[in-house]
Amino acid sequence: MDLVLKSFQKENFFDFLRTFSIPIGIMILIAMMVIPLSPVFLDVLFTSNLLVSLLVLMVALQTFRPLDFSSFPTVLLFATVLRLGLNVASTRVILANGHTGTDSAGSIIEAFGAFVMSGSYVVGLFVFAILVLINLIVITKGAGRVSEVAARFTLDSMPGKQMAIDADLNAGILTSEEAKERRKEIAKEGEFYGAMDGAAKFVKGDAIAGILILIINIIGGLIIGTVNHDLSLSESAESYILLTVGDGLVAQIPSLLLAMATATIVTRISSDDNDLAGQISSQMGLSKAWVPVSAVLLLFGLVPGMPNTLFLGGALISGAIAYFTSKNIGEIKKDVPENDTEENHGKIDVDEVSDNSSISLDLGYGLISMVDSNDKKSAGPLISKITGIRKQVSKDLGFVIPNVRVRDDLSLDANAYQIKVGHTIVAEDKIYADRKLAMPSDETQLKIQGIQVKDPSFGLDAYWIEKHLVSKAESNHYMIIEPEAVIGTHLNQVLLKYAGDLLSQDDVQLLLDNLSKINPQLVQSVIPKLIPLHHLTIILRNLLVERVPINDLKKILEALSNLSDKKLSPDELSEAVRPAISSLLIQKISSVKEALNIVTFNSDLEQMLISMSKKSSSEGLLIDPNLAKQMIKSLLEISEKSSSDGNPIVIVTSPIIRKDLSILLRQHIEDIVVLSFTELPESKRVKVIATVGEKITNQEKEKNNENANI
């Protein structure tokens, strides 16, 4: 018994009502259409119908935005069907019992019929017809047209709104969560207005059904009264028409209220501050508007023969409203201290001195046009380019690149830009938004007129040319690049180079959460039991620094789990895990069918470097400057010879010196990959294109012999 009582607590009871109210209502509706109802029950249902219609209208008036009442189309459907079901039930009662008197269908129908008809059923019919026409032609038709237009324009504007969100997201104005909420709201708005376009048809159909039911009831009542119950035509008309008009009015008034609610919803302008009453009062309560109204009414009141008292009274009321509205505005202004403005000028917000953007792009005022777009439905060319680059780099590296905050900086030259990682400037250059970059090829012979510069990404000779010279440049084998593409390519290089700095612990946790959906046991067994989150972040950062993708986080965690019994630092774990995922990096350099072109060191040089590594401290490889200079010079020569294929130099060396050698060489040759012998897959064919060290080791041997002779 206690369990039964607990199940019917207050919260459970309301949950029960919320869950089963609609199914129960549908069952009652079906029963209404099939089972004859008593007049008393009809009165209750008609009262409930009027209550629901008033409630819907009041809710529509109190909402701040149309989407605040997103369930309105469904509510309108159920309310319409409920009223039609009542019409069916009342029609049955009227036709079956109408001959017994005007009280046969309940007191509400009788009261409405008697009040409207005022002793004449002709008057009642005309009043009913006027109400139906107002509902059908004025309110319902207008609301239906507004719904149709609103749905069309809402759906047409959705792509533009989505692109605007993407632009704000890229510019750093919105966070990813805010962007998601905006997208959900736009989708919800499209669904709502699409549903409202259909819901307006319910109201129109309901009004037409009311007319048809009226005609059926009158004709049917007259026939039944005269034929079945031997009533005279006047007696049948008096009884059945009164009941029919009363029934129609009881149905049409809720219908009119719902039509008004529909029109209110579709004609609303969204507001975050006021409901409809607040909007109207704030916008119409202008003293400047009420003063001329009062003056015009005063003039009418002074004209002889006019109802002077009414016009003068209206002028007095209008003048009073103008006076009080102006007084309220003055009081509001007084409530604001005069020194507030001065205080606000001197106030400094945290946002002005602190910027938490991971990466930002600062533009001179001459480049602002690249961000803006003439078409409101699309983002500027630079924003679209940045979005594409972020998506591609995120896909290549295996984590979501943070938003690039784009902003203007008046301290920069008009055509200058800066790329920052955190607060550190990592790249800068100049471009010209009104020109295009022309890069000569090997076949180019004609020098074109323009501003001669070095390409910011690759350091190649290029010219910023005016747009009318583009055709001439192309005919002379120049490669034409848009200004936004120049910044985009530069930004792409920066993102790849500083990917390790852009990866945060939150990003790593997001990757783990995503992986745990598929491999929850693996994630739980490794993080944080074997490897703390901050250590995993360091490992992934080390991989990204050398452009090793972290797409296959599953394989990385599996490799780390196998190394858990060894007491290794995060840097040592980074090296130990590389052989498991090196194929991800290799496949970006060489296709599956092609051989991997590699550069090796000769055995003497490699042994020399290994011995130096063993003698070095933990701070890194200590190498003779002359030896390092010669080694880098040789690699640069090899790089120039093999630069035609566009792939970086791949050096393969011993695992002992791989990391230290990579750090040393990347300082001088940015686009270089250093692998260990253990990272080469067994199935991958390799081709040695060059060997470094023969000349270098001979020079070192001669140097050592000279030192020995001394």
Side-chain angles (χ1 to χ4, degrees), residues 178-375:
E178 290 173 339
K180 288 180 182 178
E181 292 298 322
R182 291 277 187 91
R183 292 191 185 98
K184 288 181 181 178
E185 187 173 350
I186 290 172
K188 190 177 179 181
E189 186 180 9
E191 294 173 357
F192 174 78
Y193 283 105
M196 283 301 302
D197 186 23
K201 305 296 190 297
F202 299 151
V203 181
K204 183 178 179 181
D206 182 34
I208 295 172
I211 298 173
L212 296 176
I213 291 172
L214 175 76
I215 296 171
I216 292 171
N217 280 352
I218 292 174
I219 296 173
L222 292 176
I223 294 173
I224 292 173
T226 54
V227 176
N228 293 351
H229 302 292
D230 297 327
L231 298 176
S232 64
L233 187 61
S234 61
E235 291 174 339
S236 297
E238 183 179 354
S239 180
Y240 284 100
I241 291 179
L242 185 143
L243 292 172
T244 300
V245 172
D247 179 40
L249 286 173
V250 174
Q252 281 303 309
I253 291 176
S255 177
L256 185 64
L257 294 175
L258 287 179
M260 290 175 62
T262 304
T264 301
I265 287 289
V266 297
T267 56
R268 281 293 309 273
I269 303 296
S270 298
S271 173
D272 295 329
D273 302 322
N274 294 315
D275 55 12
L276 184 60
Q279 283 185 349
I280 294 174
S281 62
S282 62
Q283 295 170 12
M284 295 191 67
L286 299 175
S287 60
K288 293 181 179 180
W290 284 100
V291 169
V293 171
S294 178
V296 172
L297 290 177
L298 180 63
L299 290 175
F300 276 107
L302 297 176
V303 176
M306 289 285 186
N308 305 99
T309 305
L310 292 176
F311 281 118
L312 291 175
L316 181 62
I317 294 172
S318 301
I321 294 173
Y323 172 75
F324 284 112
T325 51
S326 62
K327 187 177 179 182
N328 289 335
I329 294 172
E331 290 177 354
I332 292 171
K333 290 181 178 179
K334 289 179 182 179
D335 290 340
V336 181
E338 294 180 357
N339 60 350
D340 272 7
T341 306
E342 297 178 0
E343 292 178 1
N344 289 333
H345 282 304
K347 186 179 179 182
I348 302 176
D349 294 330
V350 176
D351 294 338
E352 298 180 36
V353 297
S354 178
D355 184 7
N356 296 320
S357 303
S358 299
I359 184 165
S360 56
L361 174 63
D362 295 345
L363 304 174
Y365 67 87
L367 306 179
I368 302 299
S369 59
M370 300 173 63
V371 179
D372 299 328
S373 174
N374 296 326
D375 185 5

Side-chain angles (χ1 to χ4, degrees), residues 401-541:
I401 298 295
N403 296 326
V404 179
R405 183 171 182 177
V406 182
R407 56 194 174 186
D408 62 320
D409 189 346
L410 297 179
S411 64
L412 297 175
D413 291 339
N415 298 309
Y417 69 89
Q418 291 179 342
I419 302 175
K420 295 180 181 178
V421 174
H423 292 271
T424 305
I425 301 172
V426 296
E428 60 183 356
D429 214 298
K430 286 185 178 182
I431 64 168
Y432 299 86
D434 56 343
R435 294 173 177 249
K436 296 191 178 185
L437 188 69
M439 297 182 67
S441 64
D442 295 336
E443 301 177 4
T444 302
Q445 297 180 352
L446 178 68
K447 184 178 179 181
I448 198 165
Q449 184 180 1
I451 303 172
Q452 186 173 1
V453 295
K454 292 287 186 181
D455 172 57
S457 300
F458 307 103
L460 302 175
D461 292 330
Y463 302 88
W464 283 105
I465 63 174
E466 296 183 1
K467 293 181 180 180
H468 70 272
L469 297 174
V470 169
S471 301
K472 181 180 178 182
E474 289 177 337
S475 62
N476 287 278
H477 308 287
Y478 281 88
M479 182 172 62
I480 305 300
I481 305 172
E482 300 288 340
E484 62 270 12
V486 176
I487 295 183
T489 305
H490 203 180
L491 178 64
N492 183 76
Q493 287 187 333
V494 170
L495 293 177
L496 291 173
K497 184 178 180 180
Y498 294 94
D501 296 330
L502 298 176
L503 183 71
S504 65
Q505 286 194 22
D506 292 332
D507 296 325
V508 177
Q509 186 60 58
L510 187 63
L511 295 175
L512 292 171
D513 293 340
N514 188 53
L515 181 61
S516 62
K517 297 176 183 178
I518 304 172
N519 301 102
Q521 201 60 42
L522 174 63
V523 176
Q524 293 174 8
S525 61
V526 178
I527 309 296
K529 292 182 179 179
L530 302 179
I531 307 292
L533 179 62
H534 65 282
H535 282 185
L536 178 62
T537 305
I538 296 172
I539 294 168
L540 297 180
R541 283 175 176 173

